[in-house]
Amino acid sequence: DNANYTPFMGSSIYLKIEDKHFLVTANHVIKDLSARYSIPQQEHFDNFLQFIGVPNEQFDFCFSFLTKPLDYFKPINISDCIKYISSHDGYLIASGFPETKVKTYNGNINCILQNIISKESKNQEYNEIGADINKNIVIQFKPKSLEIDTGVKTQLPFPNGMSGGGLFFVSKNVLYRDEKPKLVGLLTRWGSDLKKSIVASRIEMIIFAIGLVYPEINRIKYIEEKFT
């Protein structure tokens, strides 16, 4: 029923850096959202959402400081973020909410999380799609991918709606769940014009940009040791 249809705009990351909480997403998600809805939405958030964005094609992200933790959601701690270094032994997992897996019932939105397991693209593919290896991580989107729980290849939905979701790295066999995935990036772009690639902004660049607004963040020992 189109009358009950709620357009789904994108995904986001709930990030905790010491005692500060942030909602992080792709800048184009908020741009599309604010064109259709009022921001902030006080009826859904106790926080006043004031997004600070970087509208750059290679580094497309924005964030909002949260005045209090979000109820019912567990944040990703800074200790669960790492600077990604190319590795042929591990997997990259794009995680978000595809538009085709979002259903609306009587005004309530039901979202199903999708994980896409892939490998990093080759260096020349970065150049071909205009990505910067120092700012981005690029993975290949294949319509069929391994399913985490079964290890069986399954048909994947297109990643529309996954912008703003997380890109995670695991260095071991993900099927055995013997390692906690580490956040390495924020999903920002995908499409046939990108040679069916999914592009993410590197998490260390995002944390550095947040630190320009909150300078004390870049003085945190973990960030100094892992991201500089």
Side-chain angles (χ1 to χ4, degrees), residues 94-187:
S95 185
F97 298 96
E99 187 173 25
T100 55
K101 287 199 170 187
V102 176
K103 306 296 181 183
T104 303
Y105 301 99
N106 297 323
N108 296 315
I109 300 177
N110 179 36
C111 305
I112 299 176
L113 183 68
Q114 177 70 51
N115 292 307
I116 297 174
I117 305 173
S118 188
K119 290 279 191 175
E120 184 184 13
S121 298
K122 297 178 181 179
N123 286 356
Q124 64 265 27
E125 293 173 349
Y126 277 76
N127 297 328
E128 290 173 358
I129 65 173
D132 184 338
I133 200 167
N134 295 310
K135 297 178 181 178
N136 305 125
I137 303 170
V138 180
I139 64 173
Q140 288 295 314
F141 172 70
K142 298 179 180 179
K144 286 193 175 182
S145 176
L146 290 178
E147 209 286 322
I148 288 180
D149 293 313
T150 64
V152 176
K153 283 194 173 183
T154 184
Q155 187 71 31
L156 296 173
F158 287 114
N160 297 33
M162 292 181 69
S163 290
L167 182 66
F168 297 86
F169 174 74
V170 286
S171 60
K172 299 178 181 179
N173 193 326
V174 294
L175 304 180
Y176 294 103
R177 294 181 179 273
D178 55 355
E179 178 188 355
K180 188 174 183 179
K182 296 292 186 180
L183 179 67
V184 296
L186 179 85
L187 305 179

Side-chain angles (χ1 to χ4, degrees), residues 6-219:
T6 300
F8 185 73
M9 308 306 299
S11 305
S12 65
I13 293 172
Y14 178 28
L15 185 64
K16 181 180 180 183
I17 304 178
E18 288 202 327
D19 61 342
K20 290 182 170 59
H21 294 75
F22 300 92
L23 199 62
V24 185
T25 186
N27 190 72
H28 72 265
V29 169
I30 294 302
K31 183 178 179 181
D32 292 343
L33 185 64
S34 60
R36 303 190 190 191
Y37 303 99
S38 61
I39 298 286
Q41 296 183 343
Q42 286 295 117
E43 66 272 25
H44 296 301
F45 292 94
D46 291 329
N47 294 278
F48 184 88
L49 296 183
Q50 185 173 5
F51 284 92
I52 300 173
V54 180
N56 181 286
E57 190 172 82
Q58 291 179 333
F59 191 47
D60 174 24
F61 98 102
C62 66
F63 72 93
S64 178
F65 172 71
L66 302 176
T67 56
K68 60 178 292 189
L70 295 177
D71 293 333
Y72 311 114
F73 294 97
K74 185 177 180 180
I76 298 173
N77 287 296
I78 187 62
S79 58
D80 292 322
C81 304
I82 62 170
K83 182 176 180 178
Y84 175 74
I85 300 174
S86 296
S87 171
H88 298 293
D89 297 326
Y91 294 90
L92 287 162
I93 305 173
S95 185
F97 298 96
E99 187 173 25
T100 55
K101 287 199 170 187
V102 176
K103 306 296 181 183
T104 303
Y105 301 99
N106 297 323
N108 296 315
I109 300 177
N110 179 36
C111 305
I112 299 176
L113 183 68
Q114 177 70 51
N115 292 307
I116 297 174
I117 305 173
S118 188
K119 290 279 191 175
E120 184 184 13
S121 298
K122 297 178 181 179
N123 286 356
Q124 64 265 27
E125 293 173 349
Y126 277 76
N127 297 328
E128 290 173 358
I129 65 173
D132 184 338
I133 200 167
N134 295 310
K135 297 178 181 178
N136 305 125
I137 303 170
V138 180
I139 64 173
Q140 288 295 314
F141 172 70
K142 298 179 180 179
K144 286 193 175 182
S145 176
L146 290 178
E147 209 286 322
I148 288 180
D149 293 313
T150 64
V152 176
K153 283 194 173 183
T154 184
Q155 187 71 31
L156 296 173
F158 287 114
N160 297 33
M162 292 181 69
S163 290
L167 182 66
F168 297 86
F169 174 74
V170 286
S171 60
K172 299 178 181 179
N173 193 326
V174 294
L175 304 180
Y176 294 103
R177 294 181 179 273
D178 55 355
E179 178 188 355
K180 188 174 183 179
K182 296 292 186 180
L183 179 67
V184 296
L186 179 85
L187 305 179
T188 56
R189 293 189 293 152
W190 92 278
S192 57
D193 60 321
L194 302 176
K195 297 183 179 294
K196 296 184 178 179
S197 298
I198 298 176
V199 181
S201 295
R202 287 179 171 271
I203 191 63
E204 65 268 23
M205 298 293 291
I206 291 171
I207 291 171
F208 173 77
I210 293 174
L212 295 177
V213 181
Y214 299 93
E216 65 274 18
I217 284 176
N218 286 329
R219 294 193 291 268

